[in-house]
């Protein structure tokens, strides 16, 4: 049952990660398209300025017209850089979401494994006739896990002598 729960949890994690990765791909394509369209539109504007200046017989290689064209190009470059930055920030946020989902999945899987181990150990203790210790283990295991320690479980099992030590060394296959 715990194994099935772990497999199901992993599928959920994989599905959520795949969805976020699809969002990243869509966002990247959208930002790329926006950048391309902006660059084209601004390029047309810049060409229009050059054409108007040329039609009036004004040289664009020196003086104020050159400054206007240079400033216009800088503004275009800044706008495109802002689009690229926005894209990077957005996709970094989504990548962080992917890592968060994976971490939560790993925590959930570990909790399932620990619950299964506790159930097996409790069952083995009861089967060996250590009902009080099994009840103690059932009550203490979740508290010990919340505290981030496994030593209390080891202490309970070690106190049972050779049976406890054999249970302590047991690991699921």
């Amino acid at each position: 049952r715990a194994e099935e729960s772990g497999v199901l949890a992993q599928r959920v994690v994989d599905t959520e990660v795949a969805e976020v990765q699809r969002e990243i791909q869509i966002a990247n394509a959208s930002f790329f398209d926006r950048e391309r369209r902006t660059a084209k539109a601004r390029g047309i504007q810049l060409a229009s300025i050059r054409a108007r200046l040329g039609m009036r017989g004004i040289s664009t290689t020196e003086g104020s017209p050159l400054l206007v064209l240079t400033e216009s190009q800088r503004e275009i470059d800044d706008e495109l850089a802002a689009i690229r930055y926005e894209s990077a920030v957005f996709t970094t946020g989504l990548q962080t979401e992917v890592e968060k989902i994976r971490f939560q999945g790993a925590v959930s899987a570990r909790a399932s494994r620990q619950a299964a181990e506790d159930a097996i150990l409790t069952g083995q203790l009861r089967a060996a006739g250590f009902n009080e210790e099994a009840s103690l283990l059932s009550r203490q295991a979740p508290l010990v896990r919340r505290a981030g320690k496994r030593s209390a479980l080891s202490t309970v099992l070690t106190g049972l002598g050779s049976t406890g030590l054999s249970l302590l060394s047991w690991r699921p296959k």
Side-chain angles (χ1 to χ4, degrees):
R1 184 162 264 242
E3 186 176 329
E4 291 172 8
S5 174
V7 169
L8 180 61
Q10 186 60 48
R11 283 188 193 147
V12 169
V13 166
D14 291 344
T15 301
E16 288 179 11
V17 165
E19 287 175 15
V20 175
Q21 287 175 335
R22 273 193 298 277
E23 285 181 49
I24 290 171
Q25 289 174 340
I26 291 168
N28 281 336
S30 175
F31 280 113
F32 177 77
D33 185 54
R34 183 171 143 207
E35 181 182 353
R36 186 184 53 75
R37 283 184 288 117
T38 300
K40 184 176 181 179
R42 298 303 177 251
I44 290 171
Q45 284 178 340
L46 200 56
S48 174
I49 292 171
R50 281 192 185 109
R52 280 184 275 155
L53 290 172
M55 285 176 34
R56 293 183 182 149
I58 300 172
S59 171
T60 58
T61 58
E62 62 186 1
S64 296
L66 178 61
L67 291 175
V68 168
L69 290 174
T70 304
E71 181 63 21
S72 297
Q73 184 62 52
R74 190 186 61 72
E75 289 173 4
I76 292 169
D77 293 342
D78 289 348
E79 186 175 357
L80 296 176
I83 292 170
R84 285 189 293 273
Y85 177 77
E86 184 182 346
S87 172
V89 168
F90 186 77
T91 55
T92 299
L94 291 176
Q95 285 292 354
T96 301
E97 181 68 21
V98 166
E99 295 307 314
K100 178 181 146 192
I101 291 168
R102 286 185 175 142
F103 176 76
Q104 289 172 337
V107 168
S108 176
R110 182 174 175 115
S112 294
R113 280 193 308 275
Q114 288 177 340
E117 288 176 15
D118 290 345
I120 291 168
L121 288 173
T122 301
Q124 287 183 336
L125 283 171
R126 286 202 170 102
F130 295 103
N131 290 324
E132 283 183 42
E133 290 81 2
S135 296
L136 177 65
L137 179 61
S138 295
R139 287 190 309 272
Q140 285 188 350
L143 299 173
V144 169
R145 294 226 198 300
R146 274 186 233 125
K149 300 176 186 168
R150 248 332 261 166
S151 60
L153 297 175
S154 302
T155 304
V156 169
L157 293 174
T158 304
L160 300 177
S162 62
T163 303
L165 288 175
S166 66
L167 292 173
L168 185 59
S169 64
W170 178 86
R171 288 278 178 241
K173 294 190 174 44

